[in-house]
Amino acid sequence: MGVMRSGSSKPVRQSVSLPANVASQVRSLAKARKLSASRMLLELIVNGMEAEKRRQQEFFGLAERFRNATDPEEVKRLGDQMGRLVFGA
């Protein structure tokens, strides 16, 4: 899994404090994938950022459909979906 993208800028050293249980999970994942804990953290962060970007795109697409909807039932259904995206199930 190529985390470092071509054209990446120089790596920046960053210190992060993790709760003990999270650090343990990171080490366990890293060991299972034969990666360093630092590389595992990098992959988790990049994957999380990509997931957040997809979630935002989904929300904006849903908001656009909500604005354009004319059927009251469709408006309610889309409004409920937006509420679940924003506030969770």
Side-chain angles (χ1 to χ4, degrees):
M1 175 175 273
V3 174
M4 297 299 283
R5 308 281 193 254
S6 62
S8 292
S9 60
K10 181 179 169 189
V12 176
R13 186 165 184 80
Q14 185 73 48
S15 176
V16 178
S17 296
L18 302 173
N21 64 329
V22 173
S24 176
Q25 289 176 327
V26 169
R27 285 191 302 272
S28 179
L29 285 169
K31 185 176 180 180
R33 295 193 43 200
K34 295 182 168 81
L35 299 172
S36 68
S38 291
R39 175 62 67 178
M40 190 74 244
L41 282 170
L42 176 60
E43 287 192 14
L44 290 168
I45 290 167
V46 169
N47 289 341
M49 289 171 28
E50 289 171 353
E52 180 63 21
K53 195 176 296 184
R54 284 190 305 272
R55 192 178 74 76
Q56 286 178 352
Q57 289 171 341
E58 179 184 355
F59 175 79
F60 289 128
L62 190 58
E64 184 68 26
R65 289 189 359 234
F66 178 78
R67 281 193 301 270
N68 294 331
T70 55
D71 176 40
E73 286 187 28
E74 177 82 357
V75 169
K76 180 178 177 2
R77 185 181 64 76
L78 292 171
D80 289 346
Q81 283 182 340
M82 286 178 59
R84 281 192 297 279
L85 273 177
V86 172
F87 301 111

